Amino acid sequence: MKIKAQIEMVLNLDKCIGCHTCSVTCKNTWTNRPGAEYMWFNNVETKPGVGYPKRWEDEDQYHGGWKLNSKGKLTLRAGGKLNKVALGKIFYNNDMPEMDDYYEPWTYDYKTLFGPERKHQPVALPKSQITGEDMELKTGPNWDDDLAGSTEYVEQDPNIQKIESDIKKNFEQAFMMYLPRLCEHCLNAPCVASCPSGAMYKRDEDGIVLVDQERCRGWRFCMTGCPYKKVYFNWKTHKAEKCTFCYPRIEEGQPTVCAETCVGRIRYIGALLYDADRVEEAASTPDETKLYEAQRELFLDPNDPEIVKQALADGISEEMIAAAQKSPIYRMAVKDQIAFPLHPEYRTMPMVWYIPPLSPVMSYFEGRDSIKNPEMIFPGIDQMRVPVEYLANLLTGGNVPVIKKALYKLAMMRLYMRAKTSGKDFDTSKLERVGLTEQTATSLYRLLAIAKYEDRF
Amino acid sequence: MFKSRFFHKVEKFNGTFTQLEEKSRRWEKLYRQRWAHDKVVRTTHGVNCTGSCSWNVYVKQGIITWEHQATDYPSCGANIPGYEPRGCPRGASFSWYEYSPVRIKYPYIRGRLWKLWTEAKKQFDNPVDAWASIVEDPAKEKEYKSVRGHGGMIRVHRQEALELISASLIYTIKKYGPDRIAGFTPIPAMSMMSFSAGARFIALLGGEELSFYDWYADLPPASPQVWGEQTDVPESADWYNSSYIIMWGSNIPLTRTPDAHFMTEVRYKGSKIVAVSPDYAENVKFADDWLAPEPGTDSAVAQGMTYVILNEFYQKRHEQQFINYSKQYTDLPFIIELVKSKANDGHLTSGHYVRITDLKGAGEKNGEWKTIVYDQKQHNFVVPNGTVGQKYDPSQKWNIELKDEAGHDIDPAMSVLDQDAPTEEVVVDFPAFSNEGNSVVARHLPVRKITYADGSEHYVTTAYDLLLAQYGIKRHDNDDLAAKDENDASSAFTPAWQEQYTGVKAKLVTQIAREFAQNALDTGGKCMVIMGGGVNHWYNADMNYRTIINLLMLCGCVGVQGGGWAHYVGQEKLRPQEGWANITFANDWVKGGARQQQGTTWYYFATDQWRYEEMDNQKQYSPVYGSSHQYLHNADYVQMAIRLGWLPSYPQFNRSSLSFVKDYGTKDIKEISAKVVDELKKGTLQFAAEDPDAKINQPKNFFLWRSNLFASSGKGAEYFMKHLLGAENGLLAKPNARLKPEDMIWHDEETTGKLDLVVDMDFRMVSTAMYSDVVLPAATWYEKEDLSSTDMHPFIHPFNKAISPMWESKSDWQQFKLLAKTFSEMAKKYLPEKVYDLKTRPLGHGTPGEIGQVGGEIRDWKKGEVEPIPGKTMPSLSLVERDYHHLYDRFIALGPNMVNNYGYEVQDAYDELKDSLGTFDEGYDAGLPKLDEDVNVCEAILHMSTASNGRLCDRAWKKKETVTGEKLEDIGRGHADDWMTFQKITAQPQEAYPTPIGTSAKHGGDRYSPFSLNVERKIPWVTLTGRQQYYVDHEIFLDFGEGLATFKPSLPPQVLAPQDVDVQPADKEVTLRYMTPHGKWNIHTMYYDNLEMLTLFRGGPTVWMSPQDAAKIDVKDNDWIELYNRNGVVTARAVVSHRMPEGSLYMYHAQDNEIYEPLSTITGNRGGSHNAPTQIHVKPTHMVGGYGQLCYGWNYYGPTGNQRDLYANVRKLKKVTWSED
């Protein structure tokens, strides 16, 4: 065992209102400069939809992440370093998203509005920020927001394409959810493994993955290697850039910008301890639907005295251990298992996790005689607007039962709280059935709902 | 020495998969340097979004870099989520504006006007004469007005601009009177001191300040109708106290972004969430149940629910909790007289409330204002405490204890069946409205016969009996006129009935109604309806609202923490109100000297929308009631409202308001009044509104600041363009000479370009600036000091300067201050005489005007039904001395009259301001507190208001105790020694002290909850009965069938009228409902032009439509389309989505037309903003005045500028062109 510490984030998608504040504050702080116009270290996607860059989840096209080779050995889907150098592929990379897959950043000819008198009221027309030429707007970083253009974009969502049953795009059965995305700061980061220059690294002390701006030579294999398409190429500096998990803030004990400015209060940040010696093994789990559990099992109990002892021996600071002990992440990801990684089937061991959207699920409402049949909640979950299979394709490599289990737990917590706040009886054995007690249901409720600043970060 | 980086020693682990390297990480300083900053300044945004979010602005080497939300709000306690962080992506993108190319950096004047002006100044020494030579020459006038909006602004020196403005003001004052000068700026709460700047200047001039809350259709007229309150709502943290929330026409994640988390979080507490929305909106994502009614039919849904609650919880279960609430807090037990139905012989219908004078005759003080109930203890009719009659009877303590005037305990009977008296059953007629035409619903009603003082006999009933009858609740088995049950589609107002109009399944409506009422029973009323623009922006919005409010009242939810209505449309809650109002309207110098004009009616006449009315009132009238005061044209109702003193009307008369003292040769207001009354009766003097197109009656000068009126809120934008501005426009409508008002003068010739000078202050070049004549550069929100508050949270917090105003920009206060200085100096020279301004004023809310016009019956002096008596049957008249030479001196000092405006002692607070702000040493202002700097004005507002000065708060509660006889001072007690200063709120946002201005009894950490003061402390509502009213008995309400709330459909579809422009047909075209809900990427037009927001969606004007409708016209996603109706044309791109219902389109609100909008193929001109296809319809019930809760207040009661009952034709835009040159 080799214990390492990792800073991790959990996003409660059930509370996400899709407002994009995180994207804007992040952009203004980090990427509103020439060369970085099109970069959104953090972006928010409406699901179902194509995302940014378009269809980033289509790894048959982009070849991001890892796969198991014929010997069951973990290997980059786009080919390893040797492969690149020896076969000369370093000069030829056709797995890259193109400009239009992101979008061509534009601005407007605003000065026209101050211009000389014209025959008609002047208007500001879009101009490319790359070429300065007039532009016809056809795509952007959030073009299909809130199911915009759903006639074209919903069926291009790779997660929808994986669902066998027919998803109806009709008014009555409409559904959507939001997916805020940032760099996953993976335990098994394919961008680091892809970099021919050794410019990318995972920080030993907190697991933050960075591109060394001095070493980067602009080969851009990190962009291909990252299946989340969260490494970008700065066309002015000719270096790769990516989300830094706001390390200048983290180092000073502040949460990331995206987390602190999240007005839906959906983001939690905390430290985790994990066994770095077992990462490869876990990432090599053959069955894709088991990858989530394999990853979860890497996390170590920070309150176990043996673990603490070993962690100290492995050079983890006391401060980091204390942070891991009070981490809300451990509670949500490991103890209650209501948070899940994004696309674990990419075998990257991502470190930004998500609580799936619960709502709407209260498909019945107790009448005057208190809760008649709380089990009714479960058919409710099976009939959710957001299909459970869709969530499983996003968050568990297709493992439906674990998603359901989490939703049952959240729904039961909600029912229990309803009984409690309206002064009604509640059969606590129902809590036990989903792995909760009155105490843990209450504390989980507080963590998710009251969620004070100090509880989130 | 050479050292290879490939061969130094590394530690490997994870098998050999991972290696630990020791390389230099010095480069990491790169991002640390980017993060580093020099200072962080607390400020906010002033944008009427209700957010009022506190932000930290980061500054690095004098440059604003970015903004993040503040997270240091005072806690809501351990068991409620906190307010941090507040803010949204729009606010987060504000810093883009600071250095952006849309920033207005210098003063500008329209080039053509500047040329005319410089030429005229060469000819005339007197600048006022120079101005006259331009505006009195039709050719010159047209030359600069016709090119408004087309560019060609030139940069000038500020002083040159101020001279031109002042010359024009003096010209207007001398020639037409000061009431031809108007100012518009919206919603003070979002930056209250900046609002005051222009309003104070205009108040001192004698111009009119236009209202905005009603004009925006954000005012819910139902609130004054039911509660006598403008609006009072819970702070968003109170949602967390609710266990059943219906979001009804309010898309919380989009429009209340910083508050939405309370809704998402309270779900975990077990609260059920229901969304009522015609589209699959963002908030529907969070809802356990979704009701998607046909747009505009919400009142029918609410009526279906009401049926279930009345039938099951009142009639069958007789739930005591509900009945007790109804008895004490609503008008349900009050006695109503029945009159003959107009529809059927032998049938009756409901008339007026019975007053004690009806039973006992005259004699009792305000007896005709005292409504009655039947007391089951004394077995007699009694006047309960708290009616409006008692409010104005100083011998009474005004409260709603269940007692009569003699102090006996009473137990009001809900029904005449509980009155120990013989009853009969009669048939009553109720009006019902639908697209197919109006109908009559006949029901059985229990009544009893009583004898009035004059010996006449009358059938009477209670409001409760009437309500049960309206809904056809079966009260005995053989009632064949009642509904069988909720599935009886043939009986009006049942769940099954509503399904045919709304499309919402009866079963679902029944289920939600049951859950809602049951939850209220279980929790003591913790059911909440969060409602908004989706149901409020309709012509018959008050019917939507009243039917929904009925649900809340029936279940005892109003006045309960976590319960009641939560109406959020507009940032209406200005917390430190008294200090602000006194400064804004210059009451510190002359109380009541300001003209407070009703915005909607002003625009209705000034933009000539009244000439284009197609709707006559036939379909709106009740078939069962008919008064003798009906008009087909709504403009006639406005005229009646003006002459009877219901609504203000400025410009006032067809004569200068300064002429009366001169012409009559007296300063005696009584003498003047007599002559004015005489002239009005003879017709030698007219209200200006009777002939709004006459040159003398038009507004001439228009000031705009903090506003993008012409695009954002200019409903009927193309009418503005044509008639107010004289600019190029896309109007396809022609005046309707078939429907002319009876009481107005109609000119066959059209009047265009009424305004001589439009002055705008802004920091960005948007359409209002482009269409103005003078543009002054405003400081941004990060460059000035000001105050902010909202209804969504209880805090007061500041704007601060992160940097000094850049280029030549200045804060609004400083701009108006400099204008006041130039104006005063020029007035000394060019307006030397002393002037007296005769000012009219309507019967006002909160004044004895509330008991001005008896019985809810119209008495029109013009028809000889009554004598015109100023302040009683017509507007009041007063004389104001205008001291133009000292306007500047008055502007910059807090006047000595301040201390007389409170009704309790404030001299000490005023004196403290002399110390803290400093005083002037000499001259006109010697010894007076200084208001010359922005921060001083903020301090004065805070110090002179009960929400921010605890000592005043304490005195105000004590004062209220003496009026009501109820114990109240404990509410403010904890704050008696606290006061806020600008420095204190900069250190941390401060929670406003609970004051008697609001209706919340919050204390000890409660969240703000409206009407809890009424419920917990027995304070009457400001209504006729002193209770929440289901029934409104004014003649106009009965005429329109709105005595009780009922479903009225949206206005009939019309795209073009017969006389309008012929539009060349397209191959494929579809007619859709045109709706403009608030959007995701802008707040009004603010942020719409912001590159970040444009990037995050589709970069230009868009219209959302369903795939079905798009297919009908061969339109694919992102295709250009053109949509039009008689009001105007829009060109935009289609967003096709299955979350939209068939038959409706959304053009999200406030898409200004200066970004990426092509020319129209229909007009050949630029496509308009989202307001191009809109037109306003003024509703007569909103004009009623002088009658209890129906009484004019500025932004308080008045016709709304509703704009939702509209249709448009949509077609593909075949040719996309941008400009001809």
Side-chain angles (χ1 to χ4, degrees), chain B residues 95-114:
Chain B
S95 53
W96 178 85
Y97 282 112
E98 285 292 327
Y99 311 99
S100 84
V102 293
R103 183 83 197 259
I104 296 169
K105 302 179 175 120
Y106 311 104
Y108 287 94
I109 289 185
R110 181 157 308 292
R112 297 232 202 172
L113 176 61
W114 182 248

Side-chain angles (χ1 to χ4, degrees), chain B residues 526-695:
Chain B
K526 293 192 183 297
C527 296
M528 185 178 275
V529 180
I530 299 175
M531 53 218 290
V535 283
N536 195 49
H537 283 183
W538 299 88
Y539 183 74
N540 286 312
D542 33 8
M543 290 294 97
N544 291 337
Y545 265 50
R546 281 176 63 196
T547 49
I548 295 170
I549 292 168
N550 284 357
L551 299 170
L552 293 161
M553 296 194 295
L554 283 172
C555 297
C557 305
V558 177
V560 173
Q561 287 242 330
W565 85 325
H567 158 92
Y568 304 109
V569 192
Q571 192 166 323
E572 43 74 32
K573 189 69 82 195
L574 186 140
R575 301 213 181 251
Q577 207 179 89
E578 304 94 332
W580 172 81
N582 276 309
I583 290 171
T584 302
F585 301 113
N587 288 331
D588 54 328
W589 288 99
V590 183
K591 193 173 184 191
R595 289 191 163 90
Q596 298 181 324
Q597 170 63 10
Q598 207 273 327
T600 314
T601 45
W602 192 91
Y603 292 117
Y604 185 56
F605 292 132
T607 67
D608 277 337
Q609 295 192 52
W610 66 282
R611 288 165 56 86
Y612 297 81
E613 283 282 4
E614 286 296 316
M615 181 192 73
D616 69 37
N617 277 319
Q618 289 300 3
K619 281 195 170 171
Q620 297 296 319
Y621 280 133
S622 163
V624 307
Y625 193 94
S627 82
S628 58
H629 296 95
Q630 295 191 342
Y631 295 97
L632 282 181
H633 197 298
N634 281 339
D636 279 325
Y637 279 99
V638 185
Q639 298 304 329
M640 179 163 74
I642 289 168
R643 68 176 174 264
L644 300 192
W646 297 353
L647 286 180
S649 180
Y650 312 120
Q652 281 172 184
F653 297 118
N654 59 348
R655 196 182 294 174
S656 166
S657 61
L658 304 183
S659 69
F660 292 86
V661 166
K662 246 187 293 179
D663 293 353
Y664 293 162
T666 176
K667 279 185 258 173
D668 178 6
I669 186 66
K670 277 192 188 151
E671 224 175 297
I672 293 172
S673 296
K675 289 191 175 179
V676 165
V677 164
D678 190 48
E679 284 212 69
L680 281 173
K681 273 168 81 174
K682 283 196 297 206
T684 54
L685 178 68
Q686 287 181 323
F687 289 98
E690 292 175 52
D691 185 7
D693 285 351
K695 194 164 178 75

Side-chain angles (χ1 to χ4, degrees), chain B residues 158-170 181 197-198 201-202 205 703 757 759 761 774 776 810 812-827 884 887-888 891:
Chain B
R158 184 187 312 278
Q159 200 51 42
E160 293 169 332
L162 297 183
E163 187 199 20
L164 179 141
I165 298 169
S166 299
S168 129
L169 289 173
I170 292 170
I181 300 163
F201 176 70
I202 283 164
L205 280 178
F703 285 91
L757 189 70
V759 180
M761 295 177 191
V774 180
L776 298 172
K810 285 194 182 298
D812 294 338
W813 191 267
Q814 296 305 321
Q815 305 247 48
F816 276 107
K817 185 179 100 176
L818 291 175
L819 175 59
K821 191 159 194 240
T822 303
F823 172 83
S824 288
E825 280 162 8
M826 283 173 65
Y884 291 132
L887 191 144
Y888 173 68
F891 188 89

Side-chain angles (χ1 to χ4, degrees), chain B residues 981-1008:
Chain B
T981 61
F982 197 76
Q983 188 190 37
K984 217 179 213 177
I985 61 173
T986 296
Q988 189 187 26
Q990 299 287 306
E991 194 162 337
Y993 314 141
T995 100
I997 291 175
T999 65
S1000 181
K1002 76 170 240 166
H1003 62 298
D1006 289 345
R1007 304 329 300 167
Y1008 190 97

Side-chain angles (χ1 to χ4, degrees), chain A residues 2 12-21 24 28-30 32-33 103 106-108 110 113-126 136-137 141-143 145-150 153 169-171 174-176 178 188 197-198 201 203-205 210-215 241 247 249 251 257 260-263 265 276-277 279-280 359-362 365 368 385 413-414 417-418 421 424 445-446 449-450 452-453 456, chain B residues 5 11 13-14 17 20 23 25 27-28 30-32 34-35 66-69 75 77-82 84-85 87-89 92 96 101-103 112 147 149-150 152 240 243 257-258 261 265 267-272 278 280 282 285-288 290 317 319 515 518-519 522 728 765 770-771 1080-1081 1089 1091-1092 1094-1099 1104 1117-1118 1133 1135-1139 1141 1153-1154 1156-1157 1164-1166 1218 1220-1221:
Chain A
K2 180 157 190 74
N12 184 354
L13 298 183
D14 187 42
K15 284 169 73 175
C16 183
I17 56 176
C19 70
H20 299 250
T21 309
V24 176
N28 281 346
T29 309
W30 300 115
N32 64 350
R33 50 197 154 89
Y103 69 105
W106 69 87
T107 181
Y108 294 83
Y110 290 107
L113 306 178
F114 291 81
E117 193 178 298
R118 288 169 176 246
K119 186 169 180 207
H120 298 293
Q121 181 205 298
V123 284
L125 296 177
E136 160 107 27
L137 299 186
N142 185 38
W143 196 254
D145 187 70
D146 283 348
L147 301 176
S150 62
Y153 300 115
K169 278 187 309 184
N170 65 28
F171 178 67
F175 75 90
M176 67 178 173
Y178 301 110
N188 187 31
S197 316
Y201 60 96
R203 302 212 303 188
D204 190 41
E205 67 272 29
L210 295 175
V211 187
D212 183 331
Q213 293 295 299
E214 287 168 6
R215 281 202 164 79
E241 282 198 66
Y247 68 81
R249 287 173 56 99
E251 287 164 358
V257 167
E260 176 163 300
T261 65
C262 173
V263 70
R265 305 164 92 246
D277 266 342
V279 171
E280 185 189 11
S359 213
V361 90
M362 199 177 271
F365 184 89
R368 150 175 245 202
R385 275 191 177 272
M413 173 198 80
R414 192 177 171 204
M417 285 307 298
R418 178 161 187 89
T421 50
K424 300 215 166 139
Y445 149 74
R446 292 192 68 90
I450 306 289
K452 301 264 179 192
Y453 188 91
R456 303 201 301 278
Chain B
R5 68 185 174 89
E11 178 196 338
F13 58 96
N14 190 22
F17 207 69
L20 184 69
K23 293 178 188 168
R25 280 165 48 183
W27 81 272
E28 285 180 7
L30 182 80
Y31 288 114
R32 286 189 199 105
R34 175 144 178 124
W35 168 246
W66 56 73
E67 57 278 87
H68 297 161
Q69 300 101 315
S75 168
N79 296 313
I80 296 186
E84 54 77 26
C88 72
W96 178 85
V102 293
R103 183 83 197 259
R112 297 232 202 172
V147 296
H150 286 203
Y240 203 78
S243 52
T257 307
H261 71 87
E265 285 157 346
R267 293 175 306 145
Y268 297 134
K269 216 176 105 185
S271 300
K272 174 153 181 174
Y280 179 74
E282 291 74 0
K285 171 184 180 254
F286 298 98
D288 297 303
W290 172 32
R317 286 164 58 174
E319 290 291 353
E515 289 176 5
Q518 187 60 47
N519 184 73
D522 292 345
E728 179 179 297
M765 191 51 88
M770 288 164 71
Y771 283 87
K1080 186 164 175 175
W1081 306 104
D1089 51 350
L1091 181 59
E1092 289 182 342
L1094 285 162
T1095 299
L1096 277 177
F1097 193 49
R1098 290 194 173 192
W1104 286 68
D1117 187 58
N1118 207 40
R1133 286 193 189 258
V1135 176
V1136 181
S1137 174
H1138 71 284
R1139 74 172 186 79
N1153 67 341
E1154 90 285 22
Y1156 200 25
E1157 177 146 351
N1165 297 336
R1166 181 74 57 208
W1218 300 103
E1220 304 272 316
D1221 49 306

Side-chain angles (χ1 to χ4, degrees), chain A residues 11 35 44 65 76 96 118-119 180 184 222 238-239 275 287 298 306 325 335 339 366 370 382 385 395 412 414 420 436:
Chain A
L11 294 87
V44 183
L76 288 167
M96 296 283 293
R118 288 169 176 246
K119 186 169 180 207
E184 300 284 345
C222 49
H238 289 226
K239 313 268 184 192
D275 183 357
D287 183 352
L298 292 177
E306 288 303 311
Q325 285 170 341
K335 273 175 89 175
E366 78 281 21
S370 175
D382 293 335
R385 275 191 177 272
L395 299 176
M412 195 57 84
R414 192 177 171 204
K420 199 168 158 183
L436 288 170

